[in-house]
Amino acid sequence: MTQRAATAAAAAVLAATALLGLAPQAAAAPAGPVPQPQSATAENKAAAAQAATAPDTLATLSRFFAREGKVSLTAARPRIEGEAIPVNHLSPEFVAGRAGAPVARLEFLAGKAVSSDGQRAALWIARTEAGWQVVNIATGDDEFRYAQLGAAKLPGGTVFREPQIDAWYVAGGSRVLPLDEDAVRAVGAGGTTLAAYRVRVARAYGDKLPGSAYAEGGMAGGYAEAEAVPAAVAADAEGAGVPWAAGAGALVLGVLGVAAVRRSRRVGARA
């Protein structure tokens, strides 16, 4: 199983420029949170594909793949495979028990990047005030692998991630089924009912939703302009006190278009 934890974070895309070498036009930070569309339409996918294949993006990918010396900068020759796919995260409206709220909501679109030596990365592509932009580059291909696993396990279901514990599920009808070991630990190998899952996440995160005292105290992630995330906060991303929308690999991406996070595999992850 591949899992990725945040190893570096910044609270603005401009801070990420130094980390990933993003060009200025690709790093322009929006003035505030921009809601993502409710679904990945053909138009949205086309816009995401344009952002993924932009020369600046490909240049940044070359640096990303070459960062540990596995391949040279000139030999990386990154390419984008297939179309962008929707990536859903656990919905705060569902946690709050809002009537009719789906279990997950669209968080970003992912594009699959591959280097000449076989390294893989996921481009997180989101709508910002400046348009559709790459807001993060993540190692591996979790987003695509779990999408395939979910489609096979529950055709027509919604594949989503619970970022607070880095767990992946597929939901359909009244069932929530696990797709990785973290999800199995959370709901059991046979999954659970949608109602029981909501009880669990409400108990875990209900007091940490936007608008809560936890959030008002500045602990719930979100947009923090030009402020770096302390290393201690990043290190605690997988602890019991994880703020809403701030799990492994998503510490400050709750509103997207705000930061870039480079994730690495945990010990024991598959090659």
Side-chain angles (χ1 to χ4, degrees):
M1 178 185 68
T2 301
Q3 295 175 317
R4 296 167 291 181
T7 59
V13 173
L14 291 178
T17 306
L19 176 64
L20 294 179
L22 294 173
Q25 59 265 40
V34 175
Q36 299 307 296
Q38 294 185 349
S39 62
T41 64
E43 182 180 3
N44 293 334
K45 289 182 178 181
Q50 185 174 3
T53 56
D56 288 336
T57 300
L58 296 176
T60 298
L61 278 169
S62 292
R63 291 189 288 272
F64 183 82
F65 287 130
R67 72 193 184 282
E68 295 177 351
K70 295 178 180 179
V71 66
S72 71
L73 184 65
T74 55
R77 297 193 301 276
R79 65 185 186 276
I80 306 301
E81 289 189 348
E83 67 174 11
I85 64 170
V87 178
N88 304 296
H89 280 187
L90 173 64
S91 166
E93 290 78 18
F94 176 81
V95 174
R98 184 171 301 175
V103 66
R105 68 181 183 186
L106 182 66
E107 194 76 2
F108 55 87
L109 299 182
K112 182 187 294 185
V114 183
S115 71
S116 62
D117 66 338
Q119 293 183 72
R120 295 177 181 272
L123 297 173
W124 293 9
I125 311 164
R127 185 171 62 185
T128 74
E129 286 192 347
W132 284 88
Q133 294 182 317
V134 175
V135 298
N136 181 39
I137 300 175
T139 58
D141 60 355
D142 285 9
E143 291 79 5
F144 306 92
R145 196 161 47 83
Y146 289 122
Q148 293 177 344
L149 286 172
K153 194 167 190 177
L154 190 60
T158 298
V159 174
F160 71 98
R161 180 172 177 253
E162 184 182 331
Q164 293 81 1
I165 61 171
D166 194 23
W168 288 85
Y169 309 86
V170 59
S174 61
R175 299 294 299 173
V176 176
L177 304 179
L179 296 177
D180 69 356
E181 294 176 5
D182 293 298
V184 169
R185 283 191 289 268
V187 301
T192 188
T193 65
L194 190 63
Y197 180 72
R198 203 201 75 77
V199 169
R200 189 189 74 79
V201 295
R203 183 169 57 245
Y205 316 121
D207 61 346
K208 299 175 179 65
L209 291 167
S212 65
Y214 187 85
E216 293 300 324
M219 299 295 292
Y223 186 69
E225 185 175 1
E227 294 179 2
V229 176
V233 176
D236 187 51
E238 294 180 77
V242 174
W244 176 257
L251 187 60
V252 287
L253 282 174
V255 294
L256 291 173
V258 175
V261 177
R262 201 177 79 203
R263 298 182 293 173
S264 63
R265 300 178 187 275
R266 294 179 185 168
V267 176
R270 74 176 176 88

